[in-house]
Amino acid sequence: PPSTKSNFNSEACSAAGYEIEFGANSPPLDNHANILHTFYPYTHFFFPLQHEIFITNDDEKDGLGALCFVVHLTKDIYARNAVLYSKAGVQQYLIPLEQCDSQKELLRYLNGVLVKKDLKWILVDDVDAKERLLKYEQLTNFTQYKFGVLYAKAGHISEDQMYLNNDMSEEFVEFLEFLGTKIELTGWSKFRGGLDTRGGNLMGTHSYFTDFQGNSVMYHVAPMMPYQLNDPSRKRHLGNDVVIIVFKDSGNDDVFDPTLFRSQYNHIFFVVERVNGPQGPSYNIQVAQKPGIPPYPPFLPSPSIMPINEETRNFLLTKLINSERTTIKYASILRVNMSTTSMALLSDLYESFSDPKKKTSKSSSSSNSSLSAAALSAAISGPEPDEFTSDLDFSKYPTSAAARRTPALSTRETGRSNTPQSSAPTPSISVPMTS
């Protein structure tokens, strides 16, 4: 069988702390993993049942900001289920029944044990607030992805060389058709990944797209984008992508050095090389990731040479999507941006419902939420050009039909209060977002 030598510059990657996965060093785990999905606590465990919603805003310097607390009214055997939304993420709790005898007792427990601050909470009894929480969960979860694709000709595998390349070999076109379907950008009505679909051909006339297990994927194919000297358009789009795919033709022995890529958003690098494997035409798939990103499924087989078929395509697309989802959770720059975006959405909720007399109208609410959606898009992979941000709306974020789990985007384990109280409350049970 073909050699499983690394297609990466191993010495440079090791010095920079990059992890390389090319099969031989993969954990012996189940390779048939599914897409990692995010858990929707409000959508699946609160919205269908009787519950109460409380909001507050800690606007002091270094304060907690806007908070939203949701608690079940139905009594379980020993506790009530609750969830707290904050800029740090989403945390679930089981509140002991003895702390739920009255609203006053519940809020005293919330302030004293969970948030550890004396905050004034507002009870919100409004259908629109419930709808807003549903949309909050939809907006902070992802079903749309954009991946950068570069073609490395023999002897042209540096970042600048690949961005300057305008050629597309037969094997590269075959790989693009393996990834998705060629689409015309003008008039394209599905997810566009920041590309111009209004007929200006600013980022080319065509691209490649696919729908995969309820997820939309648009590929930013560098050679299909117009190039002019000193025009940063290609880098502006691919430089904002979390995941980059580098394709090599068969017989190209060049090694790729991801440490030379200067974008702060590029975190995961796939190198796909066409080879003749034991089962015929195949792809040798290897992955390198920046420091701080843990391994994620599905793991490459050993050797990491897979035949060109539907099973390999499903594997690769699952790996690509999971790589971005994992990066969003662990990469510091994306985690901070997601926290900022979550804070904007919670602040919008507080401003809309904190004063019933000044309640935001549905039309205004939709406008504010669309702005939050734009901020969310920027948080994931950097801002898109201003002229390309007019089509953001909630319809792009369908609610899941079943409970789904993945590493939470960002969670914070809340400690127990050491503040003396006349009647010490029973500690809550923190329920982790994943299992």
Side-chain angles (χ1 to χ4, degrees), residues 148-152 158-159 162-163 165 172 175 220-223 238 244-248 256 261:
V149 185
L150 292 166
Y151 172 50
S158 72
E159 179 183 23
M162 287 189 287
Y163 274 120
N165 174 45
F172 181 55
F175 175 63
H220 290 162
V221 185
L238 276 76
I244 295 293
I245 307 168
V246 174
F247 179 81
K248 291 173 37 176
F256 171 60
F261 270 57

mmCIF file of all heavy atoms in Angstrom, residues 148-152 158-159 162-163 165 172 175 220-223 238 244-248 256 261:
data_model
loop_
_atom_site.group_PDB
_atom_site.id
_atom_site.type_symbol
_atom_site.label_atom_id
_atom_site.label_comp_id
_atom_site.label_asym_id
_atom_site.label_seq_id
_atom_site.Cartn_x
_atom_site.Cartn_y
_atom_site.Cartn_z
ATOM 1 N N GLY A 148 -12.635 26.838 3.131
ATOM 2 C CA GLY A 148 -11.741 27.305 2.081
ATOM 3 C C GLY A 148 -11.072 26.142 1.381
ATOM 4 O O GLY A 148 -10.714 25.140 2.013
ATOM 5 N N VAL A 149 -10.906 26.253 0.062
ATOM 6 C CA VAL A 149 -10.272 25.194 -0.731
ATOM 7 C C VAL A 149 -9.166 25.811 -1.578
ATOM 8 O O VAL A 149 -9.412 26.729 -2.377
ATOM 9 C CB VAL A 149 -11.288 24.475 -1.645
ATOM 10 C CG1 VAL A 149 -10.605 23.309 -2.365
ATOM 11 C CG2 VAL A 149 -12.491 23.985 -0.858
ATOM 12 N N LEU A 150 -7.942 25.310 -1.411
ATOM 13 C CA LEU A 150 -6.781 25.761 -2.168
ATOM 14 C C LEU A 150 -6.220 24.608 -2.996
ATOM 15 O O LEU A 150 -6.261 23.445 -2.565
ATOM 16 C CB LEU A 150 -5.692 26.279 -1.217
ATOM 17 C CG LEU A 150 -6.001 27.575 -0.458
ATOM 18 C CD1 LEU A 150 -5.000 27.768 0.678
ATOM 19 C CD2 LEU A 150 -5.963 28.770 -1.401
ATOM 20 N N TYR A 151 -5.690 24.932 -4.163
ATOM 21 C CA TYR A 151 -5.078 23.921 -5.038
ATOM 22 C C TYR A 151 -3.576 24.140 -5.046
ATOM 23 O O TYR A 151 -3.087 25.231 -5.368
ATOM 24 C CB TYR A 151 -5.654 24.028 -6.445
ATOM 25 C CG TYR A 151 -4.948 23.164 -7.458
ATOM 26 C CD1 TYR A 151 -4.700 21.809 -7.209
ATOM 27 C CD2 TYR A 151 -4.526 23.697 -8.681
ATOM 28 C CE1 TYR A 151 -4.043 21.023 -8.136
ATOM 29 C CE2 TYR A 151 -3.869 22.917 -9.619
ATOM 30 C CZ TYR A 151 -3.632 21.582 -9.339
ATOM 31 O OH TYR A 151 -2.977 20.790 -10.267
ATOM 32 N N ALA A 152 -2.843 23.086 -4.666
ATOM 33 C CA ALA A 152 -1.382 23.157 -4.606
ATOM 34 C C ALA A 152 -0.777 22.434 -5.810
ATOM 35 O O ALA A 152 -0.744 21.206 -5.858
ATOM 36 C CB ALA A 152 -0.863 22.545 -3.305
ATOM 37 N N SER A 158 3.246 27.029 -0.959
ATOM 38 C CA SER A 158 3.244 28.049 0.096
ATOM 39 C C SER A 158 1.921 28.805 0.044
ATOM 40 O O SER A 158 1.176 28.744 -0.940
ATOM 41 C CB SER A 158 4.409 29.011 -0.074
ATOM 42 O OG SER A 158 4.183 29.867 -1.192
ATOM 43 N N GLU A 159 1.626 29.561 1.089
ATOM 44 C CA GLU A 159 0.363 30.301 1.156
ATOM 45 C C GLU A 159 0.227 31.252 -0.030
ATOM 46 O O GLU A 159 -0.799 31.238 -0.743
ATOM 47 C CB GLU A 159 0.280 31.086 2.470
ATOM 48 C CG GLU A 159 -1.004 31.908 2.597
ATOM 49 C CD GLU A 159 -1.037 32.751 3.870
ATOM 50 O OE1 GLU A 159 0.046 33.045 4.411
ATOM 51 O OE2 GLU A 159 -2.147 33.109 4.303
ATOM 52 N N MET A 162 -0.292 29.473 -3.459
ATOM 53 C CA MET A 162 -1.616 28.877 -3.662
ATOM 54 C C MET A 162 -2.673 29.952 -3.884
ATOM 55 O O MET A 162 -3.603 29.768 -4.680
ATOM 56 C CB MET A 162 -1.975 27.973 -2.481
ATOM 57 C CG MET A 162 -1.203 26.667 -2.467
ATOM 58 S SD MET A 162 -1.794 25.490 -1.224
ATOM 59 C CE MET A 162 -1.202 26.255 0.285
ATOM 60 N N TYR A 163 -2.565 31.085 -3.206
ATOM 61 C CA TYR A 163 -3.533 32.158 -3.415
ATOM 62 C C TYR A 163 -3.381 32.790 -4.803
ATOM 63 O O TYR A 163 -4.356 33.289 -5.382
ATOM 64 C CB TYR A 163 -3.383 33.231 -2.344
ATOM 65 C CG TYR A 163 -4.167 32.932 -1.083
ATOM 66 C CD1 TYR A 163 -3.532 32.802 0.147
ATOM 67 C CD2 TYR A 163 -5.548 32.782 -1.123
ATOM 68 C CE1 TYR A 163 -4.251 32.528 1.303
ATOM 69 C CE2 TYR A 163 -6.279 32.512 0.018
ATOM 70 C CZ TYR A 163 -5.619 32.381 1.227
ATOM 71 O OH TYR A 163 -6.339 32.100 2.370
ATOM 72 N N ASN A 165 -2.538 31.104 -7.484
ATOM 73 C CA ASN A 165 -2.797 30.092 -8.502
ATOM 74 C C ASN A 165 -4.189 30.259 -9.120
ATOM 75 O O ASN A 165 -5.185 30.386 -8.402
ATOM 76 C CB ASN A 165 -2.667 28.707 -7.879
ATOM 77 C CG ASN A 165 -3.060 27.613 -8.844
ATOM 78 O OD1 ASN A 165 -2.656 27.644 -9.995
ATOM 79 N ND2 ASN A 165 -3.858 26.675 -8.370
ATOM 80 N N PHE A 172 -8.211 17.998 -9.521
ATOM 81 C CA PHE A 172 -8.766 18.979 -8.592
ATOM 82 C C PHE A 172 -10.257 19.181 -8.853
ATOM 83 O O PHE A 172 -11.067 19.233 -7.915
ATOM 84 C CB PHE A 172 -8.012 20.303 -8.732
ATOM 85 C CG PHE A 172 -8.496 21.386 -7.789
ATOM 86 C CD1 PHE A 172 -8.548 21.172 -6.416
ATOM 87 C CD2 PHE A 172 -8.904 22.618 -8.277
ATOM 88 C CE1 PHE A 172 -8.994 22.165 -5.550
ATOM 89 C CE2 PHE A 172 -9.342 23.613 -7.426
ATOM 90 C CZ PHE A 172 -9.399 23.383 -6.059
ATOM 91 N N PHE A 175 -12.126 16.373 -7.473
ATOM 92 C CA PHE A 175 -12.258 16.484 -6.023
ATOM 93 C C PHE A 175 -13.364 17.459 -5.646
ATOM 94 O O PHE A 175 -14.149 17.209 -4.732
ATOM 95 C CB PHE A 175 -10.925 16.931 -5.416
ATOM 96 C CG PHE A 175 -10.982 17.192 -3.930
ATOM 97 C CD1 PHE A 175 -11.276 16.171 -3.044
ATOM 98 C CD2 PHE A 175 -10.749 18.465 -3.429
ATOM 99 C CE1 PHE A 175 -11.332 16.406 -1.673
ATOM 100 C CE2 PHE A 175 -10.804 18.710 -2.067
ATOM 101 C CZ PHE A 175 -11.097 17.675 -1.191
ATOM 102 N N HIS A 220 -15.328 27.958 -0.473
ATOM 103 C CA HIS A 220 -14.622 29.101 -1.036
ATOM 104 C C HIS A 220 -13.442 28.558 -1.835
ATOM 105 O O HIS A 220 -12.370 28.287 -1.275
ATOM 106 C CB HIS A 220 -14.124 30.031 0.075
ATOM 107 C CG HIS A 220 -15.219 30.770 0.775
ATOM 108 N ND1 HIS A 220 -15.059 31.375 2.010
ATOM 109 C CD2 HIS A 220 -16.500 31.023 0.414
ATOM 110 C CE1 HIS A 220 -16.190 31.960 2.359
ATOM 111 N NE2 HIS A 220 -17.082 31.756 1.410
ATOM 112 N N VAL A 221 -13.633 28.364 -3.116
ATOM 113 C CA VAL A 221 -12.613 27.754 -3.978
ATOM 114 C C VAL A 221 -11.750 28.872 -4.568
ATOM 115 O O VAL A 221 -12.209 29.634 -5.434
ATOM 116 C CB VAL A 221 -13.272 26.919 -5.091
ATOM 117 C CG1 VAL A 221 -12.198 26.201 -5.910
ATOM 118 C CG2 VAL A 221 -14.259 25.916 -4.495
ATOM 119 N N ALA A 222 -10.525 28.965 -4.103
ATOM 120 C CA ALA A 222 -9.676 30.104 -4.473
ATOM 121 C C ALA A 222 -9.508 30.272 -5.979
ATOM 122 O O ALA A 222 -9.667 31.392 -6.497
ATOM 123 C CB ALA A 222 -8.320 29.983 -3.774
ATOM 124 N N PRO A 223 -9.170 29.226 -6.758
ATOM 125 C CA PRO A 223 -8.961 29.445 -8.198
ATOM 126 C C PRO A 223 -10.224 29.865 -8.950
ATOM 127 O O PRO A 223 -10.120 30.349 -10.088
ATOM 128 C CB PRO A 223 -8.473 28.071 -8.690
ATOM 129 C CG PRO A 223 -7.947 27.376 -7.488
ATOM 130 C CD PRO A 223 -8.824 27.847 -6.367
ATOM 131 N N LEU A 238 -11.078 33.334 2.303
ATOM 132 C CA LEU A 238 -10.475 32.116 2.845
ATOM 133 C C LEU A 238 -9.752 32.394 4.153
ATOM 134 O O LEU A 238 -9.682 31.525 5.031
ATOM 135 C CB LEU A 238 -9.501 31.494 1.839
ATOM 136 C CG LEU A 238 -10.148 30.591 0.779
ATOM 137 C CD1 LEU A 238 -10.844 31.422 -0.300
ATOM 138 C CD2 LEU A 238 -9.124 29.660 0.148
ATOM 139 N N ILE A 244 -9.435 25.029 6.345
ATOM 140 C CA ILE A 244 -8.854 25.153 5.016
ATOM 141 C C ILE A 244 -8.523 23.765 4.487
ATOM 142 O O ILE A 244 -7.937 22.938 5.198
ATOM 143 C CB ILE A 244 -7.565 26.009 5.038
ATOM 144 C CG1 ILE A 244 -7.877 27.453 5.445
ATOM 145 C CG2 ILE A 244 -6.870 25.975 3.678
ATOM 146 C CD1 ILE A 244 -8.695 28.224 4.442
ATOM 147 N N ILE A 245 -8.894 23.511 3.220
ATOM 148 C CA ILE A 245 -8.566 22.251 2.547
ATOM 149 C C ILE A 245 -7.527 22.545 1.477
ATOM 150 O O ILE A 245 -7.738 23.416 0.626
ATOM 151 C CB ILE A 245 -9.806 21.610 1.898
ATOM 152 C CG1 ILE A 245 -10.942 21.459 2.914
ATOM 153 C CG2 ILE A 245 -9.463 20.269 1.271
ATOM 154 C CD1 ILE A 245 -12.287 21.106 2.282
ATOM 155 N N VAL A 246 -6.407 21.827 1.511
ATOM 156 C CA VAL A 246 -5.366 21.945 0.491
ATOM 157 C C VAL A 246 -5.368 20.655 -0.324
ATOM 158 O O VAL A 246 -5.209 19.560 0.237
ATOM 159 C CB VAL A 246 -3.983 22.180 1.126
ATOM 160 C CG1 VAL A 246 -2.895 22.161 0.056
ATOM 161 C CG2 VAL A 246 -3.953 23.510 1.884
ATOM 162 N N PHE A 247 -5.558 20.774 -1.642
ATOM 163 C CA PHE A 247 -5.589 19.579 -2.499
ATOM 164 C C PHE A 247 -4.289 19.458 -3.287
ATOM 165 O O PHE A 247 -3.794 20.430 -3.855
ATOM 166 C CB PHE A 247 -6.769 19.637 -3.469
ATOM 167 C CG PHE A 247 -6.832 18.440 -4.384
ATOM 168 C CD1 PHE A 247 -7.383 17.246 -3.937
ATOM 169 C CD2 PHE A 247 -6.310 18.497 -5.669
ATOM 170 C CE1 PHE A 247 -7.421 16.131 -4.772
ATOM 171 C CE2 PHE A 247 -6.342 17.393 -6.504
ATOM 172 C CZ PHE A 247 -6.898 16.203 -6.047
ATOM 173 N N LYS A 248 -3.760 18.222 -3.337
ATOM 174 C CA LYS A 248 -2.548 17.915 -4.095
ATOM 175 C C LYS A 248 -2.863 16.845 -5.136
ATOM 176 O O LYS A 248 -3.531 15.852 -4.834
ATOM 177 C CB LYS A 248 -1.444 17.396 -3.166
ATOM 178 C CG LYS A 248 -0.876 18.410 -2.217
ATOM 179 C CD LYS A 248 0.097 17.808 -1.210
ATOM 180 C CE LYS A 248 0.958 16.718 -1.761
ATOM 181 N NZ LYS A 248 1.954 16.215 -0.801
ATOM 182 N N PHE A 256 3.359 20.468 3.115
ATOM 183 C CA PHE A 256 2.657 21.714 3.405
ATOM 184 C C PHE A 256 2.984 22.184 4.818
ATOM 185 O O PHE A 256 2.987 21.380 5.764
ATOM 186 C CB PHE A 256 1.153 21.484 3.247
ATOM 187 C CG PHE A 256 0.297 22.621 3.721
ATOM 188 C CD1 PHE A 256 0.406 23.885 3.170
ATOM 189 C CD2 PHE A 256 -0.644 22.421 4.726
ATOM 190 C CE1 PHE A 256 -0.389 24.933 3.609
ATOM 191 C CE2 PHE A 256 -1.451 23.456 5.161
ATOM 192 C CZ PHE A 256 -1.319 24.712 4.599
ATOM 193 N N PHE A 261 0.738 30.153 7.506
ATOM 194 C CA PHE A 261 -0.507 30.881 7.243
ATOM 195 C C PHE A 261 -0.699 31.942 8.326
ATOM 196 O O PHE A 261 -0.622 31.650 9.512
ATOM 197 C CB PHE A 261 -1.694 29.922 7.222
ATOM 198 C CG PHE A 261 -1.980 29.358 5.861
ATOM 199 C CD1 PHE A 261 -1.004 28.664 5.164
ATOM 200 C CD2 PHE A 261 -3.214 29.530 5.270
ATOM 201 C CE1 PHE A 261 -1.252 28.150 3.903
ATOM 202 C CE2 PHE A 261 -3.481 29.026 4.004
ATOM 203 C CZ PHE A 261 -2.495 28.331 3.321
#
